[in-house]
């Protein structure tokens, strides 16, 4: 983390947000049971004990995505990051964890750093992650074999890098949406929400 | 006959004349004298001959004339006779013609008769033919009748045969009837026997009926007796019961005690029951409250449904309105357009009001000009009147002066005539000169006056022209003013109203659009929440080798996770391994927060 006590630069903000995404995605994967819990290890971050994956493939995948995302965050070309959980049997989208990113495009790399204490940002991030864990109480059970994918909504004029390709939005048919808390680094603002498929039994 | 006599007369005269004529020739032939006498004779002869010729011609002429007269007469007679004959002939001809006509008529009548007779003949022939036909028909009928007669004879013979057969049958029937009558007689005898039996039976029945009535009477008596017996039994039962009751009195006293105890117990229970009733009432109230709550709940549900329908209507509003508003930007654009229109309308309004003010100002100016022109025209009128009066006076004076001048001239002429012969006296000449001078002066004065009059007239004419032009201008201005005021007021008021209406409409439209905007924003947010995006500005990318794609690639292969080399679907594996293992064993975040 390059953020200093004095203030937050664009690069620092991007790093904070990318870290949040890394931990957030890990905890969602753990909470929703997409990967077996024995493949996770406990880490303390944001004064919270969080779970991080030990799966090498997943680690590399997440690292590559987060690195790319950090770049785009610095360019302010990313609009959304979406974690899509799909049923492997039916190819049906069951959950969508959506993180809307509002970039302050006036903030340039050489600009003066914004004055927001890092502790306050961490406090906000902590509340968001807590909410993510709390959502397990109302989200429907995932009873089938599921897999996840990370979609990034970017500006149209962005050049798609190698290994990346364009995709559909993968919208849930008949969904319920729950808005979660948001946090801001005063350069990037992240609004989080979860949409899940309405189960027929309800 | 007369004619014939006349003719004879003529012939007689002719004979005498011829005889006379023949004589002179003998006379002339006898004297044969010398030469001188010859000449004389010759001339005499000649003369005689001439005379003879003359007489002869005369007589021939007479004869011819007589002949002519006779011829004429005869001609006349012949003509008359001819005419008579012609008339007779014509009469005969007419008679014959009449006769002919009559004959022709007769012929026609006869022909008609002939035709009629021919017709009647033909009719008769036809009737004859008809009669023949009838005769033939009658003959035919006769033949038919003959044939029918023969048939009838045949049938008669056949019928006679039948009659014979029938007679035979009749005889057989009669024989049968005889046998049947015999049977009948035997049966009647039997019937009589039966009748007798019936009479006996009826007598027996009567006796039985009488015995039945007697039986019924005896039964009634038996019932009465039974009733009396029952009454006696009832009396005996009453007596027995009275006895038993008398015996039961101590038992009853005991029962009374028991009943008293029971009544006390019942009173207690009654109190309890009242308490219970109160409780029941309380419960009832509770139930009523519950029902009310339920009703409220139902109402709430209804309201909820209504609100849902409303919400749907709002959601559908965008489609219904037909506005192509999909994004808040479109809406804001439209709002901006409307505001711009409003601004333009306001500007128009301002310009119109300013123009109205200008028109009013010009109107006021025109009014002031009008009043000035009116006063001017009045002054001109006055001047003209004074000038006219002056002109009249001057004309009068001119007339008087001309008269004076004429009078003076007459005086001078009279002086001249008086003093023509005598010498001119110096006095007179002087006076004359004076008079002439006076005259000249008067003339000059009159000329001046005339010039002044003409000038005044000219002035008057110019003034008149000016007045007319001023009036014209005034009228024009009035018209302009009227039109301007009318047009301006009407136009401005109408425009103002129209603009107000427009402004109101725009306001309402703005409000509507605002509402639509809100609805659309809500929908947009919802869509946004669901993950929708604007494909014009945004695109969605993901890593080609993401866990889902890898899992999909490996899944159909069956346990090809190691072969794929990428992240497999461990959840599936864990599901297979752990059966119903759903959730992680603990929630570290919770624990963390708890620790905090």
């Amino acid at each position: 983390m390059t953020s200093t006590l004095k203030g937050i630069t664009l690069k620092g903000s991007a790093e904070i947000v990318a870290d949040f995404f890394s931990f957030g995605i890990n905890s969602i994967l753990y909470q929703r049971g997409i990967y077996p819990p024995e493949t996770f290890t406990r880490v303390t971050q944001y004064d919270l004990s969080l779970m991080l994956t030990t799966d090498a493939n997943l680690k590399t995948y997440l690292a590559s995505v987060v690195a790319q995302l950090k770049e785009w965050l610095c360019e302010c070309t990313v609009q959304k990051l979406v974690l899509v959980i799909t049923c492997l049997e039916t190819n049906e989208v069951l959950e969508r964890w959506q993180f809307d990113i509002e970039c302050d495009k006036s903030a340039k790399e050489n600009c003066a750093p914004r004055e927001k204490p890092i502790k306050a940002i961490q406090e906000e991030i902590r509340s968001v992650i807590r909410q993510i864990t709390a959502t397990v109480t109302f989200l429907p059970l995932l009873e089938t074999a599921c897999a996840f994918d990370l979609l990034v909504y970017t500006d149209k004029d962005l050049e798609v890098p190698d290994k990346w390709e364009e995709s559909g939005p993968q919208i849930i048919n008949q969904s319920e949406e729950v808005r979660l808390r948001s946090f801001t680094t005063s350069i990037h603002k992240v609004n989080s929400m979860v949409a899940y498929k309405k189960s027929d039994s309800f | 006959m007369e004619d014939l006599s006349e003719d004879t007369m003529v012939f007689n005269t002719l004979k005498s004349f011829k005889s006379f004529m023949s004589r002179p020739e003998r006379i002339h032939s006898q004297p044969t004298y010398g030469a001188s006498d010859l000449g004389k004779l010759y001339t005499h002869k000649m003369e005689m001959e001439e005379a003879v010729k003359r007489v002869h011609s005369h007589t021939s002429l007479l004869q011819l004339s007589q002949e002519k007269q006779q011829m004429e007469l005869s001609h006349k007679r012949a003509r008359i006779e001819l005419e008579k004959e012609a008339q007779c002939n014509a009469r005969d001809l007419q008679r014959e013609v009449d006769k002919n006509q009559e004959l022709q008529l007769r012929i026609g009548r006869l022909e008609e008769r002939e035709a009629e007779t021919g017709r009647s003949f033909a009719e008769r022939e036809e009737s004859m033919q008809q009669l023949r036909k009838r005769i033939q028909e009658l003959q035919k009928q006769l033949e038919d009748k003959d044939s029918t007669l023969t048939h009838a004879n045949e049938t008669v013979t056949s019928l006679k045969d039948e009659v014979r057969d029938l007679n035979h049958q009749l005889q057989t029937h009669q024989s049968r009837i005889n046998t049947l009558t015999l049977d009948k007689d035997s049966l009647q005898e039997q019937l009589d026997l039966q009748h007798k039996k019936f009479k006996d039976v009826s007598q027996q029945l009567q006796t039985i009926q009488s015995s039945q009535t007697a039986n019924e009477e005896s039964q009634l008596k038996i019932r009465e007796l039974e009733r009396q017996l029952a009454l006696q039994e009832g009396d005996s039962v009453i007596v027995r019961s009275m006895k038993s009751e008398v015996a039961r009195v101590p038992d009853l006293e005991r029962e009374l005690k028991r009943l008293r105890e029971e009544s006390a117990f019942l009173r207690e229970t009654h109190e309890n029951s009242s308490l219970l009733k109160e409780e029941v009432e309380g419960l009832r109230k509770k139930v009523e409250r519950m029902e009310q709550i339920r009703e409220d709940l139902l109402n709430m549900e209804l309201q909820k449904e209504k609100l849902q329908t409303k919400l749907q209507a709002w959601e559908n509003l965008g489609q219904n309105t037909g506005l192509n508003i999909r994004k808040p930007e479109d809406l804001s654009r439209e709002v901006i357009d409307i505001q711009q229109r409003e601004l333009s309308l306001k500007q128009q309004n301002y310009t119109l009001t300013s123009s109205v003010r200008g028109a009013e100002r010009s109107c006021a100016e025109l009014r002031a000009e009008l009043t000035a022109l009116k006063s001017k025209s009045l002054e001109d009128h006055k001047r003209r009147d004074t000038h006219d009066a002056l002109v009249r006076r001057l004309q009068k004076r001119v007339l008087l002066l001309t008269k004076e001048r004429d009078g003076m001239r007459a005086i001078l002429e009279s002086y001249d005539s008086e003093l023509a012969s005598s010498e001119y006296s110096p006095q007179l000449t002087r006076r004359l000169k004076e008079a002439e001078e006076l005259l000249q002066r008067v003339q000059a004065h009159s000329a001046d006056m005339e010039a002044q009059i003409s000038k005044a007239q000219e002035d008057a004419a110019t003034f008149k022209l000016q007045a007319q032009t001023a009036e014209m201008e005034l009228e024009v201005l009035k018209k302009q003013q009227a039109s301007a005021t009318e047009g301006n007021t009407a136009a401005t008021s109408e425009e103002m109203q129209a603009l107000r209406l427009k402004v109101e409409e725009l306001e309402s439209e703005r409000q509507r659009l605002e509402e639509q905007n809100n609805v659309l924003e809500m929908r947009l947010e919802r869509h946004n929440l669901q993950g929708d995006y604007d494909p014009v500005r945004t695109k969605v990318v993901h890593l080609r080798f993401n866990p889902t794609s890898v899992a999909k690639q490996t899944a159909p292969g069956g346990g090809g996770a190691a072969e794929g080399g990428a992240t497999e679907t461990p959840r599936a594996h864990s599901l297979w391994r752990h059966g119903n293992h759903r959730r992680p064993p603990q929630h570290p975040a919770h624990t963390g927060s708890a620790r905090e």
Side-chain angles (χ1 to χ4, degrees):
Chain A
M1 270 202 259
T2 54
S3 57
T4 60
L5 284 170
K6 286 173 186 172
I8 291 158
T9 58
L10 176 65
K11 208 175 173 186
S13 169
E15 210 152 323
I16 289 168
V17 173
D19 283 341
F20 161 75
F21 282 140
S22 176
F23 286 106
I25 290 160
N26 264 301
S27 63
I28 288 164
L29 292 176
Y30 173 74
Q31 295 295 338
R32 302 302 295 142
I34 307 297
Y35 287 84
E38 58 264 26
T39 60
F40 286 86
T41 181
R42 199 177 295 267
V43 183
T44 306
Q45 179 72 20
Y46 311 123
D47 288 338
L48 282 171
S49 75
L50 299 170
M51 303 305 276
L52 270 182
T53 184
T54 53
D55 191 315
N57 291 326
L58 182 59
K59 259 186 174 175
T60 49
Y61 171 72
L62 286 177
S64 62
V65 170
V66 168
Q68 184 60 61
L69 198 64
K70 209 183 281 180
E71 207 176 293
W72 284 335
L73 280 166
C74 282
E75 291 167 6
C76 286
T77 50
V78 65
Q79 294 169 5
K80 274 174 196 175
L81 173 75
V82 184
L83 193 158
V84 182
I85 296 169
T86 44
C87 176
L88 281 173
E89 283 173 26
T90 57
N91 271 336
E92 199 178 14
V93 180
L94 299 175
E95 274 177 37
R96 263 175 125 266
W97 294 81
Q98 187 170 302
F99 301 96
D100 296 349
I101 301 156
E102 289 173 25
C103 293
D104 184 1
K105 292 198 176 179
S106 63
K108 296 278 158 57
E109 280 189 45
N110 303 328
C111 271
R114 305 288 171 94
E115 283 182 14
K116 178 157 185 176
I118 192 84
K119 275 203 169 181
I121 296 165
Q122 281 189 349
E123 180 65 35
E124 284 176 12
I125 290 172
R126 196 158 45 225
S127 59
V128 174
I129 287 174
R130 266 191 210 141
Q131 259 197 329
I132 288 167
T133 17
T135 51
V136 178
T137 53
F138 65 81
L139 287 174
L141 275 175
L142 301 171
E143 291 176 23
T144 54
C146 298
F148 87 102
D149 189 10
L150 288 171
L151 308 178
V152 184
Y153 286 51
T154 61
D155 290 351
K156 188 74 182 172
D157 51 355
L158 184 104
E159 202 177 327
V160 181
D162 289 345
K163 296 183 183 176
W164 287 73
E165 63 180 7
E166 285 200 36
S167 161
Q170 306 208 29
I171 293 166
I172 301 169
N173 201 11
Q174 289 189 323
S175 64
E176 292 268 16
E177 298 89 28
V178 178
R179 205 171 252 293
L180 304 177
R181 287 192 184 204
S182 60
F183 76 91
T184 176
T185 64
S186 75
I187 293 168
H188 295 102
K189 188 183 179 188
V190 179
N191 298 307
S192 42
M193 53 142 304
V194 59
Y196 57 95
K197 190 171 172 59
K198 259 189 222 172
S199 70
D200 300 330
S201 58
F202 287 116
Chain B
M1 294 292 284
E2 284 175 356
D3 295 331
L4 284 169
S5 63
E6 277 177 0
D7 289 339
T8 51
M9 279 288 283
V10 169
F11 282 119
N12 285 331
T13 50
L14 265 170
K15 272 175 187 172
S16 63
F17 183 69
K18 275 174 182 174
S19 62
F20 177 75
M21 283 297 286
S22 57
R23 249 186 263 166
E25 280 177 352
R26 273 177 243 157
I27 299 161
H28 282 294
S29 51
Q30 282 176 344
T32 48
Y33 304 117
S36 61
D37 291 334
L38 277 170
K40 276 180 185 176
L41 272 170
Y42 184 73
T43 52
H44 189 65
K45 237 187 172 178
M46 285 300 284
E47 278 172 1
M48 283 298 283
E49 277 179 358
E50 276 178 5
V52 167
K53 276 182 185 176
R54 232 178 275 156
V55 169
H56 193 72
S57 65
H58 191 71
T59 51
S60 66
L61 215 158
L62 278 169
Q63 276 177 344
L64 283 169
S65 64
Q66 273 179 347
E67 274 179 13
K68 191 195 153 190
Q69 277 177 349
Q70 278 176 348
M71 287 287 279
E72 276 178 351
L73 281 167
S74 64
H75 192 80
K76 271 180 187 174
R77 266 179 222 153
R79 197 187 284 165
I80 288 157
E81 280 170 3
L82 250 170
E83 278 175 357
K84 274 178 188 170
E85 276 181 3
Q87 277 178 350
C88 284
N89 281 328
R91 269 175 221 157
D92 291 342
L93 215 149
Q94 269 192 339
R95 265 176 225 156
E96 279 182 356
V97 164
D98 289 340
K99 272 181 189 173
N100 258 327
Q101 281 179 348
E102 278 175 12
L103 285 166
Q104 275 178 348
L105 282 166
R106 270 184 198 172
I107 286 158
R109 272 174 215 157
L110 286 165
E111 278 175 350
E112 280 173 5
R113 267 184 205 172
E114 201 188 329
E116 280 175 9
T117 46
R119 260 178 244 152
S120 61
F121 189 75
E123 281 171 5
R124 270 175 200 172
E125 273 187 345
E126 279 175 8
S127 62
M128 282 290 280
Q129 279 178 351
Q130 282 175 355
L131 285 165
R132 272 174 206 160
K133 278 176 191 171
R134 267 188 200 172
I135 285 158
Q136 282 176 354
E137 281 171 7
L138 286 166
Q139 276 177 346
K140 275 178 191 171
Q141 281 178 356
L142 255 169
E143 282 169 3
D144 291 336
K145 273 176 186 173
D146 282 337
S147 62
T148 48
L149 252 168
T150 49
H151 274 293
N153 283 329
E154 282 169 10
T155 47
V156 163
T157 48
S158 63
L159 283 166
K160 274 176 184 170
D161 293 336
E162 276 181 13
V163 165
R164 265 176 229 147
D165 292 335
L166 284 166
N167 279 330
H168 279 293
Q169 282 177 357
L170 238 169
Q171 281 171 356
T172 50
H173 277 295
Q174 273 179 345
S175 62
R176 266 185 211 169
I177 285 161
N178 287 331
T179 51
L180 284 167
T181 44
L182 285 170
D183 289 344
K184 197 193 95 184
D185 290 339
S186 63
L187 284 166
Q188 259 187 340
E189 279 169 8
Q190 280 180 0
L191 214 153
D192 290 338
L193 278 170
Q194 292 285 334
H195 263 291
K196 276 171 193 172
K197 277 181 189 174
F198 178 75
K199 275 173 189 171
D200 293 339
V201 167
S202 60
Q203 278 175 355
Q204 280 177 356
L205 216 154
Q206 278 175 352
T207 51
I208 286 161
Q209 276 178 348
S210 59
S211 65
Q212 267 186 344
T213 49
N215 206 345
E216 277 174 2
E217 279 170 5
S218 61
Q219 272 181 349
L220 279 168
K221 272 180 188 173
I222 286 159
R223 273 175 202 162
E224 276 178 12
L225 286 167
E226 277 176 352
R227 218 181 289 155
Q228 280 178 359
L229 234 163
L231 284 167
Q232 278 181 354
E233 276 179 0
D235 287 343
S236 67
V237 165
I238 289 159
V239 167
R240 267 179 226 154
S241 65
M242 283 296 282
K243 276 180 187 172
S244 62
E245 274 178 11
V246 166
R248 236 189 275 166
V249 163
D251 295 338
L252 283 168
E253 278 174 355
R254 260 177 251 152
E255 264 188 36
L256 206 139
K257 275 180 189 171
R258 198 170 51 79
L259 285 166
R260 272 177 191 161
E261 282 167 7
E262 271 185 12
S263 70
F265 174 71
L266 284 165
R267 266 176 208 155
E268 281 173 9
T269 50
H270 182 73
E271 281 169 8
N272 284 334
S273 72
S274 62
L275 283 168
L276 285 164
K277 271 179 188 171
E278 279 173 10
E279 274 184 22
V280 165
E281 277 177 11
L283 285 165
R284 263 186 208 158
K285 278 175 191 169
K286 270 188 187 176
V287 166
E288 279 172 4
R289 263 180 244 148
M290 284 298 286
E291 278 175 355
Q292 274 183 351
I293 287 159
R294 209 181 281 168
E295 280 175 5
D296 289 344
L297 201 135
L298 280 166
N299 287 328
M300 290 294 277
E301 276 180 356
L302 282 167
Q303 277 183 351
K304 199 190 103 185
E305 280 177 5
K306 277 179 192 171
L307 285 167
Q308 271 182 345
T309 50
K310 268 188 185 177
L311 210 131
Q312 276 191 340
W314 279 114
E315 280 174 355
N316 294 327
L317 204 77
Q319 293 169 358
N320 293 334
T321 47
L323 288 164
N324 190 17
I325 298 166
R326 290 203 177 159
K327 291 169 254 165
E329 283 180 6
D330 294 346
L331 201 107
S332 59
R333 211 187 304 142
E334 275 195 74
V335 167
I336 287 158
D337 286 348
I338 287 157
Q339 281 172 347
Q340 279 175 351
R341 266 187 255 157
E342 204 183 309
L343 279 168
S344 63
L345 285 167
K346 274 181 184 169
Q347 277 178 351
Q348 277 185 359
N349 190 8
Y350 290 139
T351 50
L352 281 166
T353 44
S354 61
S355 67
V356 165
R357 275 174 206 153
E360 278 175 355
R361 235 177 280 148
S362 63
C363 177
E365 283 169 11
L366 286 166
R367 268 183 200 160
E369 275 185 28
L370 197 124
T371 47
L373 282 165
K374 266 187 187 173
S375 57
K376 259 191 178 181
S377 72
L378 278 168
E379 280 174 11
D380 288 342
H381 265 290
K382 276 177 193 172
R383 271 189 206 169
R384 205 180 67 183
D385 290 344
T386 48
H387 280 296
D388 281 343
L390 267 170
V391 164
R392 272 178 224 142
R393 260 187 255 157
L394 285 166
Q395 277 176 344
K396 272 180 191 172
R397 278 183 79 179
V398 165
L399 274 167
L400 286 169
L401 282 166
T402 46
K403 275 178 186 173
E404 267 188 10
R405 192 191 65 187
D406 291 344
M408 290 297 279
R409 264 187 194 161
I411 291 161
L412 278 170
E413 276 170 4
S414 66
Y415 273 127
D416 283 344
S417 61
E418 276 177 17
L419 300 170
S421 56
S422 63
E423 289 174 0
Y424 291 108
S425 63
Q427 260 190 335
L428 272 169
T429 52
R430 221 189 301 140
R431 273 183 76 180
L432 201 137
K433 275 178 189 173
E434 279 175 5
E436 274 176 358
E437 277 172 9
L438 217 152
L439 202 140
Q440 277 177 351
R441 257 186 271 156
V442 164
Q443 275 178 346
H445 191 74
S446 72
D448 281 347
M449 291 302 278
E450 274 173 358
Q452 274 187 1
I453 284 160
S454 61
K455 224 184 182 183
Q457 277 174 346
E458 276 175 10
D459 283 354
T462 51
F463 279 130
K464 264 189 184 174
L465 273 169
Q466 276 185 359
Q468 279 175 354
T469 49
E471 273 176 359
M472 291 273 279
E473 278 178 0
L474 199 130
E475 277 178 1
V476 168
L477 285 168
K478 267 184 185 172
K479 277 178 190 171
Q480 275 184 355
Q481 194 194 8
S483 62
T485 49
E486 277 174 9
N488 279 332
T489 50
T492 48
S493 61
E494 279 175 12
E495 275 178 352
M496 282 294 280
Q497 276 189 340
L499 287 165
R500 267 179 205 160
L501 280 168
K502 258 196 173 175
V503 165
E504 280 171 10
E505 277 176 18
L506 288 166
E507 193 76 18
S508 58
E509 207 178 323
R510 193 181 61 81
Q511 281 182 350
R512 196 167 55 76
L513 287 168
E514 252 183 18
E515 284 168 6
Q516 276 185 7
N517 191 11
N518 288 332
V519 170
L520 287 165
E521 271 179 359
M522 276 173 70
R523 282 174 71 182
L524 204 88
E525 204 185 327
R526 201 178 144 74
H527 279 298
N528 200 25
L529 283 172
Q530 282 175 349
D532 210 355
Y533 66 102
D534 183 7
V536 180
R537 293 192 304 169
T538 314
K539 65 180 170 188
V540 183
V541 292
H542 66 156
L543 256 178
R544 203 170 294 134
F545 291 103
N546 58 67
T548 310
S549 65
V550 170
K552 277 177 190 168
Q553 276 173 8
T554 53
E563 292 156 356
T567 50
E568 57 180 348
T569 52
R571 183 183 154 74
H573 286 278
S574 70
L575 276 167
W576 293 331
R577 256 181 281 157
H578 301 288
N580 277 332
H581 174 72
R582 286 279 163 270
R583 296 198 179 279
Q586 55 189 344
H587 300 290
H590 277 295
T591 52
S593 60
R595 234 182 285 149
E596 213 175 51

